[in-house]
Amino acid sequence: MQSIPFNKTGYEPFLDYIKAFAIVCVLIGHTFPYLSVIGYGLWAGMQVPLFVLVQSFHSLKKPEVKLNWPKLFWRIICPWLLVEATIFSLLGMKRGFDTSLIFEFVNGGGGPGSYFPWIYLQIAIILKFIRPMFDDGSRIKQTIVAVGICEVFEVLCSLTNLPDWIYRVLAVRYFFLIFLAWIWVKDGIRMTKTNWTLSILSAASIVYFEYFASDTEPFFYDTAWKFHRWPCYFYVAFLLTCLLYQLHRLFRRSIFIDRFVKTLSKCSYEIFLVQMMVCKCMPLLTISANKYINYGFKVALIFAVSIYGGLLFHILYNKSLNRIKVSI
C-alpha cells in the first residue's frame, strides 16, 4: 500500500511539485489545439482541481480557518485587476472599446482562465464556514453528505439551465475537492484497495465525460467543463497525485530541477496571470512558410514569456507591495 504523509505543521515540499505541474498544464491547456488526442482530462486538464486541493489543504490543516481579506486583496485580487486592466487596454486599442469587449470583461474577465480568481475567493469563503463541519460525523457520513451536496448542485444547474458565462465563475463544480483535501489532512494519501478502485472508476468517468457522454442531464449538468465534476476527482486526489509524488522523489535529487520547480510554484499565480495576457493579446507571428514551425515558435514564446514574465511580475509586484506597506 502506497502511503504519502503530508507535513501539517510546516512547509511541505511536495506541494510545490503539484503547483508547478499544474501551472505547466495551464500553459499546455491554453496553447495546444489538439487536446482530445493527448488524454487531456487525465492529466493536463486537471490544473484547477490540483490548485483547489492545495488551497483547501493549506486551510483545512489549521484548527480554525481565518479569512484575511487584506491579504486576499493584495495577493489575489489586485494583481488580477492590474492584468485585466492591461488586457482591456491593449484589446481596446487594437479593436476599439466597443460593447462586446466590455461585456466580455463583465462576464468574469478577459484571457484564458480568467475565472480562476473568482473560484479561489469562493473556495476561501466556503472553507471558512465548512471547516467546523468536518469535526463531526463518520467518514461515511461525510462522504454521503459531500456527494449529495455536489449532486444537488449538478441537478439544480441542469434544471435551471444555468448559462455557461455564470457557471464558469461559480465554485460549485469544485466543492467535492474540499472534502478530498480534508482526507489529505486526516490520512495523507493512502492507496488502499478502496482508493485504488475509486481512482480507476474515477479515471474511467473522466474518459466517459471527455469522449463519450452525450446527454447526462439532469444528473450531470451539460457544460464546457465536462470532466470537472465530482466523480472525476477521486483520481486526481489519489492516483494522479501519487504519480506526481513519484516525479517529486525523482526530480528532487537534481538541485537545478528542484529549484526550478520551487520557482514555478512560488510564482504560479503570476505566471497564470501573465499567460492570460500573452495568450489573449499576442499578435499572429509568421517566421516561416511552414505553419507547424510558426505554431511551435508561438507556443515556445508563450511558455517563455509567461514563465519569465511571471517571475518578473512576482518580484516587482512584491517589491512595490512592501514599499506600500512600509509607507503606510
Side-chain angles (χ1 to χ4, degrees):
M1 178 182 68
Q2 172 94 37
S3 181
I4 303 173
F6 286 101
N7 186 345
K8 294 182 287 186
T9 58
Y11 169 64
E12 173 53 67
F14 174 44
L15 296 181
D16 284 338
Y17 280 76
I18 295 177
K19 290 173 64 179
F21 173 80
I23 195 59
V24 170
C25 289
V26 168
L27 294 172
I28 293 172
H30 294 159
T31 57
F32 191 73
Y34 307 109
L35 298 176
S36 62
V37 303
I38 60 173
Y40 177 67
L42 288 169
W43 60 291
M46 289 302 176
Q47 330 94 320
V48 175
L50 287 170
F51 279 126
V52 172
L53 278 168
V54 173
Q55 177 191 3
S56 300
F57 172 81
H58 277 308
S59 293
L60 293 175
K61 69 181 182 180
K62 303 170 186 176
E64 181 183 359
V65 177
K66 296 181 179 180
L67 274 175
N68 188 333
W69 285 110
K71 183 178 180 180
L72 283 172
F73 175 79
W74 292 112
R75 179 70 186 95
I76 303 298
I77 301 174
C78 186
W80 178 77
L81 288 175
L82 288 173
V83 171
E84 285 293 308
T86 304
I87 296 174
F88 183 81
S89 300
L90 291 174
L91 292 180
M93 288 185 290
K94 180 180 179 181
R95 72 189 204 200
F97 295 93
D98 55 13
T99 54
S100 64
L101 178 62
I102 296 172
F103 186 73
E104 179 180 341
F105 279 78
V106 169
N107 289 341
S114 58
Y115 63 87
F116 177 71
W118 297 99
I119 301 297
Y120 187 97
L121 292 174
Q122 290 170 72
I123 293 293
I125 296 170
I126 292 170
L127 287 166
K128 165 68 177 177
F129 294 100
I130 204 172
R131 174 61 181 84
M133 301 179 187
F134 284 125
D135 293 326
D136 299 321
S138 65
R139 179 66 53 79
I140 294 177
K141 179 181 177 181
Q142 291 173 350
T143 303
I144 293 173
V145 170
V147 171
I149 292 174
C150 293
E151 193 52 40
V152 166
F153 281 133
E154 291 279 356
V155 173
L156 282 176
C157 290
S158 175
L159 294 178
T160 58
N161 197 26
L162 194 69
D164 259 8
W165 67 270
I166 296 177
Y167 185 78
R168 74 186 288 268
V169 298
L170 295 181
V172 293
R173 61 186 178 275
Y174 300 117
F175 183 85
F176 196 67
L177 291 161
I178 297 175
F179 170 66
L180 295 174
W182 173 246
I183 295 179
W184 278 15
V185 172
K186 299 301 291 183
D187 303 337
I189 299 173
R190 302 172 60 204
M191 290 308 293
T192 61
K193 290 181 179 179
T194 299
N195 288 340
W196 267 108
T197 302
L198 290 174
S199 293
I200 292 171
L201 291 174
S202 180
S205 74
I206 294 173
V207 174
Y208 171 72
F209 285 122
E210 185 173 11
Y211 297 105
F212 302 107
S214 56
D215 183 10
T216 57
E217 297 198 32
F219 302 107
F220 295 103
Y221 178 50
D222 183 15
T223 172
W225 290 266
K226 49 190 175 182
F227 47 77
H228 280 194
R229 51 183 92 245
W230 70 264
C232 305
Y233 296 146
F234 286 102
Y235 161 78
V236 180
F238 293 103
L239 183 53
L240 178 60
T241 307
C242 275
L243 295 175
L244 293 178
Y245 186 73
Q246 300 309 316
L247 291 178
H248 161 63
R249 294 180 60 186
L250 175 65
F251 291 144
R252 69 182 178 182
R253 300 170 188 172
S254 167
I255 296 177
F256 172 78
I257 295 178
D258 194 57
R259 286 179 178 175
F260 182 64
V261 165
K262 289 178 180 178
T263 299
L264 287 178
S265 173
K266 181 176 66 175
C267 305
S268 59
Y269 186 60
E270 290 82 3
I271 294 171
F272 159 74
L273 293 175
V274 172
Q275 70 80 35
M276 277 173 39
M277 182 170 58
V278 175
C279 292
K280 188 72 173 179
C281 302
M282 178 179 283
L284 294 174
L285 300 172
T286 302
I287 63 170
S288 169
N290 188 307
K291 65 177 182 179
Y292 298 107
I293 293 177
N294 288 329
Y295 170 73
F297 175 75
K298 180 181 178 180
V299 170
L301 190 60
I302 290 175
F303 267 72
V305 173
S306 297
I307 293 174
Y308 182 74
L311 173 60
L312 193 61
F313 184 21
H314 176 85
I315 294 172
L316 295 177
Y317 178 78
N318 282 283
K319 282 185 177 179
S320 301
L321 190 58
N322 289 333
R323 288 172 185 167
I324 293 172
K325 290 179 179 179
V326 170
S327 64
I328 294 176

